[in-house]
Amino acid sequence: KKLSSISNVPRLEAEVLLSFLLDINPIKFHTDDIGISPKVMNKFGSMIDSRFKGMPMAYLIGKKEFWSLDFEINPSVLVPRPETELLIENAIELLKDHESPRILELGTGSGIISIVLYKELVTPEITATDISDEALYVAKNNADRYQIKDINFLVSDWFSEIKNKKYNLIISNPPYVDKTKLSNEELFRIDMEPDIALYSENNGTSDLEFIIQNSSI
């Protein structure tokens, strides 16, 4: 009932949170009698309160499924969106016939784009950058989760640490949101995600324009 005002699937979200705390499959709520201790109920109540205040589900349980894989997620990175899969699909289509394509990802965040491309392409050479040390820590953890050691994670402000290198593909999902044009409801939905990964100046196009203009240098 509490989540119904902020979620389209409040029961599902409540089940996911409680099953996370109990370390069980949510289906068991419909098939078994589940005993819940007062300690767990207190934690569950706190999680419901946090979700009610706008905390993304991925931050509460520390992970998000993307491309049928589980990725570590925390407040230092954006929560992956389904639309990002389209970006990856286009990249795979472009490079599917290349052997060892050289790829630069700008603003890798949790590392999901580079990790999926590494798994889907033929021996790619990938450099993944981010301005945030905290984000790169998450990205490296996600690469380690899938035993990927060959992605070169690099702290860089867009191209600042990329010197005289050529790539077959430069890929990025940069900040593109104009904060001034968001409604209160829209702000509520993303307010707890990192500003540096969301908002861009010049009607949201500033970072996109910078990347495009500098990609050919």
Side-chain angles (χ1 to χ4, degrees), residues 34-77:
I34 305 296
I36 303 172
S37 70
K39 183 178 180 180
V40 170
M41 277 304 300
N42 286 336
K43 290 183 178 178
F44 180 54
S46 295
M47 294 180 86
I48 291 293
D49 287 342
S50 295
R51 180 68 187 119
F52 180 73
K53 294 174 183 176
M55 179 73 73
M57 290 287 291
Y59 292 167
L60 288 169
I61 64 175
K63 64 180 180 179
K64 176 73 173 180
E65 181 179 323
F66 182 87
W67 206 267
S68 299
L69 302 168
D70 278 338
F71 289 95
E72 174 187 335
I73 300 295
N74 68 32
S76 64
V77 299

Side-chain angles (χ1 to χ4, degrees), residues 95-103 114-127 148 150-151 168:
L95 298 176
K96 63 182 181 181
D97 297 324
H98 285 66
E99 185 172 346
S100 302
R102 295 182 303 279
I103 300 169
S114 286
I115 291 168
V116 171
L117 290 179
Y118 184 91
K119 293 174 72 70
E120 295 290 341
L121 296 172
V122 180
T123 59
E125 300 174 14
I126 301 177
T127 296
I148 297 172
D150 298 333
I151 297 175
N168 299 108

Side-chain angles (χ1 to χ4, degrees), residues 4-184:
S4 62
S5 63
I6 60 99
S7 172
N8 294 324
V9 286
R11 182 185 178 91
L12 175 61
E13 290 193 359
E15 289 181 351
V16 167
L17 293 175
L18 187 54
S19 64
F20 169 75
L21 289 173
L22 295 171
D23 194 23
I24 62 172
N25 190 313
I27 195 67
K28 287 186 175 293
F29 293 130
H30 303 273
T31 61
D32 299 0
D33 291 326
I34 305 296
I36 303 172
S37 70
K39 183 178 180 180
V40 170
M41 277 304 300
N42 286 336
K43 290 183 178 178
F44 180 54
S46 295
M47 294 180 86
I48 291 293
D49 287 342
S50 295
R51 180 68 187 119
F52 180 73
K53 294 174 183 176
M55 179 73 73
M57 290 287 291
Y59 292 167
L60 288 169
I61 64 175
K63 64 180 180 179
K64 176 73 173 180
E65 181 179 323
F66 182 87
W67 206 267
S68 299
L69 302 168
D70 278 338
F71 289 95
E72 174 187 335
I73 300 295
N74 68 32
S76 64
V77 299
L78 285 182
V79 177
R81 269 65 168 178
E83 294 82 2
T84 304
E85 293 195 359
L86 178 60
L87 181 64
I88 293 174
E89 289 169 0
N90 287 333
I92 292 172
E93 181 65 23
L94 286 169
L95 298 176
K96 63 182 181 181
D97 297 324
H98 285 66
E99 185 172 346
S100 302
R102 295 182 303 279
I103 300 169
L104 172 65
E105 184 192 0
L106 299 172
T108 191
S110 59
I112 58 171
I113 291 176
S114 286
I115 291 168
V116 171
L117 290 179
Y118 184 91
K119 293 174 72 70
E120 295 290 341
L121 296 172
V122 180
T123 59
E125 300 174 14
I126 301 177
T127 296
T129 75
D130 205 287
I131 196 173
S132 166
D133 289 298
E134 292 81 7
L136 285 176
Y137 181 80
V138 175
K140 290 174 183 177
N141 282 348
N142 281 323
D144 288 342
R145 176 191 291 256
Y146 294 104
Q147 300 180 326
I148 297 172
K149 305 296 183 184
D150 298 333
I151 297 175
N152 177 29
F153 291 105
L154 180 66
V155 178
S156 182
D157 183 2
W158 298 138
F159 295 97
S160 65
E161 302 302 316
I162 306 299
K163 308 297 183 183
N164 301 318
K165 294 183 180 179
K166 302 294 184 182
Y167 297 93
N168 299 108
L169 177 71
I170 298 174
I171 189 168
S172 184
N173 185 18
Y176 60 84
V177 177
D178 182 349
K179 191 173 185 177
T180 65
K181 294 183 178 179
L182 295 181
S183 66
N184 288 336

